[in-house]
Amino acid sequence: MGKYQIRKTSNGQFRWTLKASNGETLITSETYVSKQGCLDGVASSKVCVADKNFDKKTSIAGQPYFNQVANNYQVLGTSEMYSSTAARDNGIDSVKRNAPTATIEDLT
């Protein structure tokens, strides 16, 4: 089962990371000013798992990655850079599988 880890950043804000059951990081959120905002972001990430919630991208260096977006088109989280589009698409599938049932681990 996947898990969301909530951490406090060095400037006192909050960020979540969704990890797969094997511990691999799937996506990392933007920073939030409040812990409640961060928890709201997690809640949104858990339900925004339709195909339309994943924006497939390619970095300037040519590496595939993706953003998970909310229904209002705000970016919820960004993936790592992948070696291929197939690997990126597997990452998206993993978010779809893990996010809805992921537990929340508060590390603040």
Side-chain angles (χ1 to χ4, degrees):
M1 177 185 293
K3 66 180 170 183
Y4 287 91
Q5 291 183 327
I6 297 174
R7 296 182 189 276
K8 203 169 201 179
T9 64
S10 60
N11 65 354
Q13 295 189 346
F14 299 87
R15 169 178 282 136
W16 57 261
T17 304
L18 175 60
K19 296 199 176 261
S21 55
N22 65 3
E24 289 288 318
T25 297
L26 297 171
I27 52 178
T28 302
S29 75
E30 305 295 320
T31 56
Y32 296 86
V33 174
S34 71
K35 188 180 209 177
Q36 186 57 53
C38 188
L39 290 168
D40 291 346
V42 167
S44 188
S45 175
K46 284 175 158 280
V47 298
C48 292
V49 293
D51 287 340
K52 70 175 185 165
N53 296 114
F54 295 91
D55 189 11
K56 297 177 181 181
K57 303 276 203 180
T58 303
S59 72
I60 295 170
Q63 295 176 294
Y65 72 101
F66 66 89
N67 288 326
Q68 183 187 25
V69 295
N71 292 327
N72 64 1
Y73 305 105
Q74 293 291 317
V75 173
L76 295 169
T78 301
S79 74
E80 65 180 2
M81 297 296 157
Y82 289 95
S83 58
S84 68
T85 56
R88 176 196 58 207
D89 294 347
N90 287 340
I92 291 170
D93 289 341
S94 187
V95 172
K96 289 177 178 180
R97 281 192 316 273
N98 283 280
T101 59
T103 59
I104 299 172
E105 183 178 24
D106 187 346
L107 301 173
T108 61

